[in-house]
């Protein structure tokens, strides 16, 4: 039982690190584009960040409203 819990924690940590690496990647691309003055790339990175923000905000609100319900 403890081994299963450990595996779940490791998988959860891996998923969080994957998401963190993507956000850091977009941050670095945006910063480099801003320094170089490439507004097209900076604008695209900003739009991607805005879309991701809105999507995750909607998912967050939906999860708050739905709550934890037992499976049917």
């Amino acid at each position: 039982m403890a081994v299963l819990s450990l595996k779940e924690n490791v998988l959860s940590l891996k998923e969080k690190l994957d998401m963190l690496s993507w956000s850091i990647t977009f941050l670095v691309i945006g910063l480099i584009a801003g320094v170089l003055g490439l507004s097209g790339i900076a604008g695209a990175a900003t739009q991607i960040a805005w879309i991701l923000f809105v999507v995750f905000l909607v998912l967050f609100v939906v999860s708050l409203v739905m709550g934890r319900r037992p499976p049917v």
Side-chain angles (χ1 to χ4, degrees):
M1 191 76 169
V3 173
L4 181 62
S5 177
L6 180 61
K7 283 184 180 180
E8 290 173 352
N9 286 340
V10 169
L11 289 176
S12 175
L13 180 61
K14 183 184 180 312
E15 291 171 354
K16 290 177 185 175
L17 290 177
D18 286 344
M19 196 64 171
L20 181 63
S21 69
W22 276 110
S23 63
I24 290 173
T25 301
F26 282 114
L27 174 68
V28 169
I29 289 172
L31 289 174
I32 291 173
V35 168
L36 296 177
L38 300 174
S39 61
I41 295 173
T46 302
Q47 288 177 349
I48 291 171
W50 177 251
I51 290 169
L52 288 175
F53 172 75
V54 170
V55 166
F56 287 117
L57 184 65
V58 168
L59 289 174
F60 174 71
V61 170
V62 168
S63 68
L64 282 179
V65 170
M66 297 296 287
R68 294 190 81 158
R69 297 185 179 182
V72 177

